[in-house]
Amino acid sequence: SEYLEEARGTLEGLDRPPKQALQLSLALVLLTEAVHGPMSMEFVRALQCGGNTHLRAGRPEEAKEAFDQMLQVAEAGFAYVEAAAALEKLVQINLGLGEANAAIECWQHALSIHTEHLKSKPEVIQSMEESLAALKQAAPMIAKAAEEARAA
């Protein structure tokens, strides 16, 4: 377990070529799942590391898959802080992909976790609600920009 923790920390700090970092990340995820099981917090953290590695390598679709899996495992294990973190990362990825409606859904889900499970402070909830309103207002522009980018 100590070795996996050290490996994850090392991988997150490495400035490796994308292909090598992705190979190390995949090995870490698979090894963590084998050692700790697919429902462990260690596995959740390995998935987070893998998602971040995909983002650094310019692979948002693969990062999205890793964070989706992280969300599912975290929620199944009632690890709401980690679930909210995965959702917030998914908002960023979806926005980067021009998928405004998916980003809105993720933000709404994160807001419900903060409200119902984490019992976040009122100012945090208010800030998240304001961000959600702004995101909803910007959604048509985000979608249009993404459509134009794909057409170009």
Side-chain angles (χ1 to χ4, degrees), residues 11-151:
L11 181 59
E12 288 175 345
L14 278 180
D15 188 21
R16 298 254 180 167
K19 186 175 181 180
Q20 190 176 15
L22 289 169
Q23 290 170 338
L24 288 170
S25 175
L26 178 60
L28 175 68
V29 168
L30 294 174
L31 187 58
T32 303
E33 182 179 23
V35 172
H36 293 285
M39 296 304 294
S40 67
M41 285 307 299
E42 289 83 2
F43 186 54
V44 168
R45 288 191 286 274
L47 289 168
Q48 183 176 27
C49 177
N52 286 330
T53 303
H54 281 297
L55 283 177
R56 286 194 305 273
R59 299 173 64 170
E61 292 291 342
E62 291 84 352
K64 190 174 176 178
E65 287 178 29
F67 285 110
D68 277 336
Q69 189 175 3
M70 176 186 167
L71 171 63
Q72 291 169 16
V73 174
E75 281 192 312
F78 304 103
Y80 294 113
V81 170
E82 289 77 9
L87 284 162
E88 289 167 18
K89 204 59 131 164
L90 285 166
V91 168
Q92 294 171 4
I93 293 168
N94 283 319
L95 287 174
L97 294 170
E99 297 175 9
N101 289 333
I104 289 169
E105 286 178 27
C106 289
W107 197 249
Q108 287 171 326
H109 192 160
L111 177 58
S112 73
I113 287 175
H114 277 274
T115 304
E116 298 168 21
H117 300 290
L118 298 179
K119 307 294 185 207
S120 296
K121 294 179 180 178
E123 55 269 19
V124 171
I125 301 298
Q126 181 181 353
S127 174
M128 290 184 76
E129 288 171 343
E130 290 169 359
S131 295
L132 180 60
L135 185 55
K136 285 180 177 179
Q137 186 175 354
M141 291 178 283
I142 294 168
K144 184 178 179 187
E147 191 176 304
E148 289 172 357
R150 282 191 287 271

